[in-house]
Amino acid sequence: MDMDSASTVVLQALTQATSQDTAVLKPAEEQLRQWETQPGFYSVLLNIFNNHMLDVNVRWLAVLYFKNGIDRYWRRVAPHALSEEEKVSLRAGLITNFNEPVNQIATQIAVLIAKVARLDCPRQWPELIPILLESVKGQDGLQQHRALLTFYHVTKTLASKRLAQDRRLFQDLASGIYSFACSLWSHHTDCFLQQIYARDEAAALSSLERTLLSLKVLRKLTVHGFQEPQQNMEVMLLDFLEYHPCAFIPLIQRSLEFAVSYVFTPAGEGVTFERFIVQCMNLIKMIVKNDAYKPAKNIDDSKPESLEAHKIKTAFFTHPTLTEIGRRLVSHYFLLTEEELAMWEEDPESFGNSTSSDTWPCTEVLFLDIFHNYSQTLTPVLLDMVQNLQVYNAVGLAAYELFDNVDFDQWFKNQLLGELQVSHHRYKLIRRRVIWLIGQWISVKFKSDLRPLLYEVILSLMQDPDLVVRLLQTLDFFLYSRPPVDDFEFRTEQFLPYLESIFGLLFQLLQQVTECDTKMQVLHVISCVIERVNIQIRPYVGCLVQYLPLLWKQSEEHNMLRCAILTTLIHLVQGLGAESKNLYPFLLPVIQLSTDVSQPPHVYLLEDGLELWLVTLENSPAVTPELLRIFQNMSALLELSSENLRTCFQIINAYVYLSATEFLQNYAESLCRSFCDLLKDITNEGQVQVLKVVEIVLKVSPILGAHMFQPLLPAVFRGIMDGERYPVVMSTYLGIMGRVLLQNSSFFSSLLTQMALECGQEMDQLLGSVIEMWVDRMDNITQPERRKLSALALLSLLPSDNSVIQDKFCGIINICVEALHDVMTEDPETGTFKDCMLMSHFEEPKLSDDEEPPTEQDKRKKLLALEDPVHSVSLQQFVYEKLKAQQALMGDQGFGVLMETVDTELVRQLQEFLQGL
């Protein structure tokens, strides 16, 4: 991209992309998206957002495009990665000056510099930190602030890296600049105090901002930059409670006294505020639950520091103190305020999705931690409050701790059920809390016999907008509960009479609710219902199937909602089975978008999109051109080498099972290239995954598979000859070579010729070495199928007058006898043996109510197994026939001499297996 001409057109496109007119906006966005992978595009963006004369909105957009480009294209292995030359230029341009006048843009620039630093500092960008430190010392106020802002974001980002090598690098950085950071914070603090004294409000505010940034830098350096901070008094800070608890022990007593005094006694009334309360509660919680402050089960094994901390805690948390904390949490902090009640009245759905205040979740977590650690003291207190105050929230949170103390079934029948049936408007708060309470106990202690009664109540309440969110959460608990006692678990047969009504109401809710979070919750419950009832959902999904395309279109700007739609589609496809082919006009474009790494939404949708792709293939009755076309996305996915690689391999296998010939004819060449690239730089486990795909291809289509993956097979051959040390890899190598030898002997001969030329050996000599290694490493093969395959493959070399094969005859028989032990079972009545791996015909399995029906892929695998020699050829019969053929070739005397090379015990075992033939 030529810089002079490019700047004008990019600036024009950015200007149009800030328009409110969609007719102007959309084409500009599409043009910018196309330019994202063009060389020089980010250099143009850098020049644009550094030009302070341009419109602020345009510069802001340029920064955002640059920042997004770092995420997608900065890494060396990314598709369409930026060149190293352009990255050098961009890094230099980003730190040329720190004089951005607009605060919001300055923050975004600081963030994007930090993103680059995470990937390149210090190796490719050693000058970054020295330049930042020098700029922070400058006298210009704006430059000093912007450099300090960038310094903070860079420090924060580098501190977040967790690999051991990165942590050592950050510790080196911290030790080198810590004193400077301390002096910087001290200087700005002094300036702030002087300016406050002089009543210079504007200057004081500016110094306070710098003081805060300096302190944030210090915090990151302090907490993450030192392995043994307690040995350095300069770095003692409060965050050590989380990261360096032993250093915090001297502060436990004072911290608890301070926090408990202000939050749980009258001392805090009128002077505390929400964020202060949250921080105090967090401080108490972290002290209570910190494992470093708890003695070992065997006291003698405890560290002295743990015993000291435990002693301080025990002395502080006396019975009166714990009682007061428990009562105040339940009776004061759990209550809804007047403001929160008004919010509920105004918008029940939005209120149900919010946590109402910052204090609420913090209060619940603190209650759980304290109750868990001091349950003996607090259980009587809470039970007393249940009798007098009906404190449902506390009883719900402590459900597991109160398992033996509360008869929840009786409480439900005698009181809670009645409260759910009170329809008065003012009773809605109680109904909401009771529904939530039941949801908490459903996975702990709620007899399944009571569930039908509860389903009926839920049906009657599902049209109440005040309760919708809590009902969804409770249904979620019902469907997913895995209680510790079988008598309490979910039973599908109890749910089926209510399925049509509940599913219909859920669909109505999905259409009616407006909050994105609520739609996600509805979709999640719908997914749970489909998962639980499986194919029995089919009569009721018609309306949902028609509505989902509209919802997908409406959610274009809401990627998390789209993730929920993908999850629902996964369960829907599984429930519909082969009938899911009717969804393809909607389903396949969704998969295409979600798994296309060149599309921005893939960042959110990829994992679920891949899962949907896989289940679609598994349930597909036949391949379609559109289904084949989606595989064009796979090459880029394999290049990413991400945590989704295993799913990618499963998808490839699914295509092979679905239609090996069509699939391989279209994609084998590109797939082979991708596999060759992957095998150059991948772990042993990853290597096994790649090789398993090749093995499956050879199993399904031995002739075409060997031809298509020809470039890979010499590496497999070399791996066997070199005696691959990693057993699982060696086992897979032998599985692949077994398939080739047994099912495509002509290709094996040509491969042997090729490898003999490469190694400078005679073919027979090389074959002998392969057989010898095979026999030697047979113990690496643990799967019975592969062990039988090895025996069949080596037996396929017989009959032979080749002296090398006859020389290795003993080893071949040894493998055969081992495999016979693996696969032969004895009929106790007749005393004869039969091959347990043989499959003679395909039968639809008889399923119990709890079993899932086989997918189309399961059926395909069984049909293929009928043609697989491992499952269609009797090893016993094959051994017998091959030995008879070898005897016929050599004559009785020659064969007798050959058999004498085999250990007599092996011969005896072999004869035992072959008796009766």
Side-chain angles (χ1 to χ4, degrees), residues 408-409 412 441-442 444-448 450-451 454 488:
F408 192 79
D409 294 335
F412 170 76
W441 276 85
I442 206 80
V444 178
K445 191 179 185 181
F446 191 81
K447 283 197 173 178
S448 57
L450 295 174
R451 290 183 182 232
L454 190 54
F488 303 143

Side-chain angles (χ1 to χ4, degrees), residues 778-842:
M778 182 68 173
D779 286 345
N780 287 166
I781 306 175
T782 56
Q783 302 93 330
E785 291 87 354
R786 275 198 193 140
R787 291 175 69 81
K788 179 178 177 180
L789 174 65
S790 289
L792 292 172
L794 290 175
L795 280 168
S796 71
L797 294 170
L798 303 178
S800 175
D801 56 5
N802 186 310
S803 61
V804 171
I805 293 177
Q806 292 182 8
D807 185 52
K808 305 300 178 187
F809 181 78
C810 174
I812 294 173
I813 297 301
N814 185 51
I815 282 183
C816 291
V817 172
E818 282 192 33
L820 285 166
H821 278 290
D822 292 328
V823 304
M824 302 301 287
T825 55
E826 186 177 6
D827 187 329
E829 294 182 5
T830 63
T832 58
F833 289 92
K834 68 173 184 175
D835 190 331
C836 66
M837 286 194 180
L838 287 179
M839 293 174 59
S840 56
H841 61 283
F842 174 66

